[in-house]
Amino acid sequence: MAIWPAAGGAGSLWTMTSATSPVHVTVTGAAGQIGYSLLFRIASGQLLGPDQPIVLRLLEIEPAMGALHGVAMELDDCAFPLLAAVETTSELKTAFDGTSWALLVGSVPRKAGMERGDLLNINGGIFGPQGAAIASHAAPDVRVLVVGNPCNTNCLIARAHAPEIPDDRWFSMTRLDQNRAASQLAQRAGVPVSEVASIAIWGNHSSTQFPDFENATIGGRPAPEVIGDEGWLRGEFITTVQQRGAKIIEARGASSAASAANAVVDSVRSIVTPTAAGDCASLAVLSHGEYGIPQGLVFGLPVRTDGTSWQVVEGLSHSEFAQQKIAVTTDELLTERAAVQSLLGG
């Protein structure tokens, strides 16, 4: 474990003169590709705003601590005015001590010949203890975003080990899929991506997810009306979004990193920043039966926020085609939950 004071400071965790106390942000798997792309954006103020000082608490496994110390030195060399301190550790207690944002990025990737059930149980050995450590050591206002895959069910496992933390503090990341879907729609329509709104990802962050083009808008008009090609929307659009991660691995020989880090920032911003009128954000949250989704699944849904609290967007309608797609991803999440039932207790 090491504490690196802010550049220009000496001898204390918080050395800058500021009327705003620093917020502690934990990033797990911090020396990995996503972590490396993410940390500098957090430290620069892009996560919580240009006036909010940050303490970064960075967790890695022991063999990666050398690399993590190198990352900490780079952060120091950037001399970010908002970065109060960086703490590097391989201990869960230290990593989550007093943290208000727990960004659970690190996980075991699926390897050749590994069944999804095996992957779920291996990662359960990571996310269960992390959930317990968050419950024991984090700040009372902690919020948790699970990024490491399979993120929906990893989030379910972590939450099961921290039942005292309210349901509305738990999220897993479908924002990368939302961004991918928005980009595809914008390119097809020949408009800037800023014209696309209300694109939600339903269900699992997997190849069964449903990117909801039916309720999306482009320039304020229904996306199907603007695109004018139902066959493309029901076919190539969906499969492109579902399989984008695999295509990136095929192209660059490694999984998405910078785009995933960008989606982490977007996810947190979508929680702490009021949602624009007529828009929504896609986050996987704990289901309470909305839209007939079984209770207790961590399920991708459209949400809106006033910057303090959030709620699931109500009243959206789905065609029979969309309902079938949502049923498929629901079944997959039910199967995943059954596979890790021994890790959930109760």
Side-chain angles (χ1 to χ4, degrees):
M1 181 270 288
I3 296 177
W4 302 72
S12 66
L13 190 66
W14 173 237
T15 57
M16 295 189 294
T17 301
S18 173
T20 304
S21 297
V23 170
H24 290 238
V25 178
T26 298
V27 179
T28 72
Q33 289 196 74
I34 296 174
Y36 187 77
S37 296
L38 175 62
L39 296 178
F40 300 89
R41 296 190 63 179
I42 297 174
S44 70
Q46 294 180 52
L47 189 80
L48 297 179
D51 300 315
Q52 179 57 63
I54 296 287
V55 170
L56 281 172
R57 312 187 75 84
L58 308 182
L59 178 69
E60 261 298 354
I61 58 175
E62 192 60 42
M65 288 303 295
L68 184 58
H69 289 317
V71 174
M73 286 189 282
E74 283 202 78
L75 285 164
D76 190 47
D77 291 349
C78 288
F80 289 116
L82 293 174
L83 186 58
V86 179
E87 183 153 4
T88 62
T89 185
S90 60
E91 299 176 355
L92 293 179
K93 178 184 183 300
T94 304
F96 295 111
D97 186 31
T99 198
S100 290
W101 280 96
L103 308 178
L104 308 188
V105 176
S107 65
V108 174
R110 189 170 181 174
K111 300 174 183 177
M114 183 183 291
E115 296 295 330
R116 191 169 179 87
D118 296 331
L119 181 66
L120 288 165
N121 280 285
I122 291 171
N123 277 303
I126 297 172
F127 287 87
Q130 287 184 359
I134 291 168
S136 296
H137 305 295
D141 65 348
V142 67
R143 284 177 276 190
V144 185
L145 175 67
V146 178
V147 179
N149 288 318
C151 62
N152 296 59
T153 299
N154 286 341
C155 183
L156 190 68
I157 293 167
R159 178 200 167 267
H161 289 76
E164 51 272 83
I165 297 176
D167 292 349
D168 64 356
R169 307 281 190 81
W170 296 92
F171 311 89
S172 70
M173 195 171 80
T174 52
R175 182 56 183 255
L176 178 55
D177 308 302
Q178 177 187 342
N179 289 347
R180 289 166 169 167
S183 179
Q184 292 299 312
L185 290 175
Q187 290 177 28
R188 187 73 175 189
V191 300
V193 73
S194 58
E195 293 288 302
V196 180
S198 294
I199 177 71
I201 304 298
W202 295 75
N204 203 2
H205 174 65
S206 76
S207 60
T208 69
Q209 64 181 258
F210 175 58
D212 186 2
F213 61 86
E214 294 183 348
N215 288 292
T217 62
I218 301 175
R221 296 166 55 202
E225 178 184 305
V226 175
I227 298 295
D229 188 341
E230 194 78 6
W232 179 82
L233 287 168
R234 291 189 173 200
E236 184 180 341
F237 166 69
I238 292 176
T239 57
T240 296
V241 177
Q242 290 175 335
Q243 299 171 13
R244 188 69 163 187
K247 291 296 184 181
I248 289 172
I249 292 173
E250 182 182 317
R252 68 183 293 262
S255 59
S256 305
S259 58
N262 179 70
V264 173
V265 174
D266 285 347
S267 295
V268 173
R269 297 301 301 164
S270 72
I271 296 166
V272 302
T273 305
T275 309
D279 204 357
C280 69
S282 186
L283 289 162
V285 298
L286 197 73
S287 168
H288 291 278
E290 300 91 345
Y291 293 95
I293 304 304
Q295 292 193 26
L297 293 180
V298 176
F299 199 92
L301 290 166
V303 304
R304 290 194 182 113
T305 179
D306 61 7
T308 301
S309 61
W310 61 266
Q311 61 183 9
V312 174
V313 176
E314 298 179 348
L316 299 179
S317 60
H318 291 110
S319 68
E320 183 178 348
F321 171 83
Q323 291 175 31
Q324 291 172 350
K325 293 294 185 182
I326 292 171
V328 170
T329 197
T330 300
D331 287 345
E332 182 179 58
L333 282 169
L334 287 170
T335 299
E336 289 188 9
R337 183 170 69 178
V340 299
Q341 193 60 49
S342 63
L343 301 173
L344 303 179

